[in-house]
Amino acid sequence: MKTKISALVLFALAGLGACGGSDSTSTARTKNAAITTTSVSAATCTVRVKSYVVTPCLPYTYMKTEWYNSTKKITNSFSTKSSQNGSPTHILTSSWLGGNPTRAYVTYTLTDGGVIGPFFVPFSSSANVTLTINYSSPATTTTTTLPVDMTNCVLSVQNNVITPCRKFKTNSLEWWDANKPVSGLTGGTTIGLRSVENLAEHPVEGATRARVNFTFPDGTSTQPVFIPYPTNSLITVNAPMIAAPTTTTTTTLVVSSYKCLLSISGNKITPCKQFKSVSYQWGNSSQITSGKMSATFQSSPMTLDLASMSPDPGTTRVIISFVLIDGKTTDTAVVAMNGGTSQLSTMAK
């Protein structure tokens, strides 16, 4: 029996190359959630065989070789297996008992996780071929966390149950009919975080809507918004967000400016928060008819009844601003007297 041994000096690494398409599927984007994208690549791998050196399109981490003489497997040859950190080339060497191999049957696990093979490569010092091998790399999943929407919190409401955009720490609730509040303001500290507020647990007779707001663990909160009552079918309501208060180095409380909605019903005005004082002037359709006046309150009410402020005869509008419970002052707004039910946007600074 004749023993044959082949040895070879490693050639320079050939250039890498790969091509192919991809199919991608994505989950639907939801507010304040994450996007998960899964991609599966159906690719081809260009394999270069020169002399006894095999260079796949990507470095490999695992290799297996079996030996053949033409179409016949050499059953008494030693198959070779090898694990690598990422070898760019594979040098074909053989150890066998009998047989004269003319080609190798190889399999490679590439650094992208894809597997090519098994496939045949020539075993010859004069080999100089390029092969194109199909393979599918493993599916890759990418999760992208979306930034929290600091403009609005979407409230989902169904069967009288309110589900805010995220778990909340506290909330407040005030019942209204079509024109005015029919209850006081309720709410307070919640033990543990909650996900829902069920309006059906504490309704007030005659109420057709609820004015609610929510405060979250990071200190942000929503402005009060109206929710119809009862609500059976699913609806969504955008509640403008208020940034969390921050503390300066002198521990002085600083609150960012925010949009403040004034809810107007007849001669009653309800700002976005309880207020400490109000400044106002009376006017008619053509001019301001009074000097600037103000009123300060011992408690912090939610609603101001203009009729109780002794408007001048012939008054059709009021020029008004509020100092809110957090110390912010709203921009001056012009509100029509007996103007029906509406909302007016102003800024609190």
Side-chain angles (χ1 to χ4, degrees), residues 41-319:
S41 298
T44 57
C45 180
T46 301
V47 180
R48 176 73 173 160
V49 185
K50 187 171 184 180
S51 188
Y52 297 108
V53 178
V54 181
T55 306
C57 59
L58 293 173
Y60 65 92
T61 58
Y62 176 80
M63 169 275 298
K64 179 182 177 181
T65 307
E66 295 178 315
W67 299 99
Y68 280 73
N69 185 334
S70 186
T71 60
K72 183 179 180 181
K73 182 177 180 179
I74 303 174
T75 56
N76 61 345
S77 67
F78 291 108
S79 295
T80 55
K81 299 178 182 179
S82 175
S83 296
Q84 308 286 336
N85 290 328
S87 178
T89 59
H90 171 206
I91 301 176
L92 295 171
T93 59
S94 64
S95 299
W96 64 92
L97 297 175
N100 295 297
T102 59
R103 53 183 184 161
Y105 198 45
V106 292
T107 302
Y108 300 97
T109 300
L110 304 179
T111 51
D112 69 350
V115 177
I116 56 173
F119 60 96
F120 286 104
V121 296
F123 181 66
S124 168
S125 61
S126 61
N128 188 6
V129 297
T130 299
L131 306 174
T132 300
I133 309 299
N134 293 325
Y135 79 105
S136 293
S137 61
T140 58
T141 299
T142 303
T143 299
T144 303
T145 301
L146 302 178
V148 175
D149 185 350
M150 293 303 295
T151 304
N152 291 293
C153 176
V154 178
L155 310 181
S156 299
V157 189
Q158 188 171 26
N159 297 326
N160 302 315
V161 175
I162 306 172
T163 305
C165 54
R166 48 199 167 111
K167 290 184 177 181
F168 58 94
K169 185 177 181 182
T170 63
N171 71 304
S172 67
L173 173 67
E174 185 179 45
W175 290 98
W176 283 56
D177 61 16
N179 300 309
K180 62 184 183 304
V182 293
S183 79
L185 189 67
T186 62
T189 302
T190 298
I191 300 176
L193 299 182
R194 292 170 55 198
S195 299
V196 299
E197 169 68 22
N198 188 351
L199 297 179
E201 291 181 353
H202 31 65
V204 172
E205 185 176 356
T208 59
R209 53 184 177 157
R211 192 170 187 262
V212 298
N213 81 297
F214 297 89
T215 301
F216 303 106
D218 62 0
T220 59
S221 59
T222 64
Q223 290 195 28
V225 291
F226 286 107
I227 305 296
Y229 183 83
T231 301
N232 296 319
S233 300
L234 175 64
I235 66 169
T236 57
V237 178
N238 281 351
M241 291 289 290
I242 300 173
T246 56
T247 305
T248 67
T249 53
T250 59
T251 68
T252 300
L253 215 61
V254 177
V255 183
S256 301
S257 299
Y258 53 84
K259 183 169 67 175
C260 182
L261 297 177
L262 306 181
S263 299
I264 302 156
S265 179
N267 287 328
K268 295 181 179 180
I269 306 176
T270 305
C272 58
K273 289 187 176 184
Q274 293 171 269
F275 55 92
K276 297 188 293 185
S277 65
V278 61
S279 297
Y280 60 99
Q281 288 178 281
W282 304 118
N284 56 32
S285 59
S286 60
Q287 61 184 347
I288 296 174
T289 60
S290 75
K292 191 171 184 180
M293 297 172 284
S294 63
T296 302
F297 304 90
Q298 284 188 335
S299 60
S300 295
M302 281 296 298
T303 299
L304 176 68
D305 188 348
L306 295 174
S308 68
M309 307 296 289
S310 302
D312 296 335
T315 296
T316 60
R317 58 179 178 156
V318 62
I319 299 89

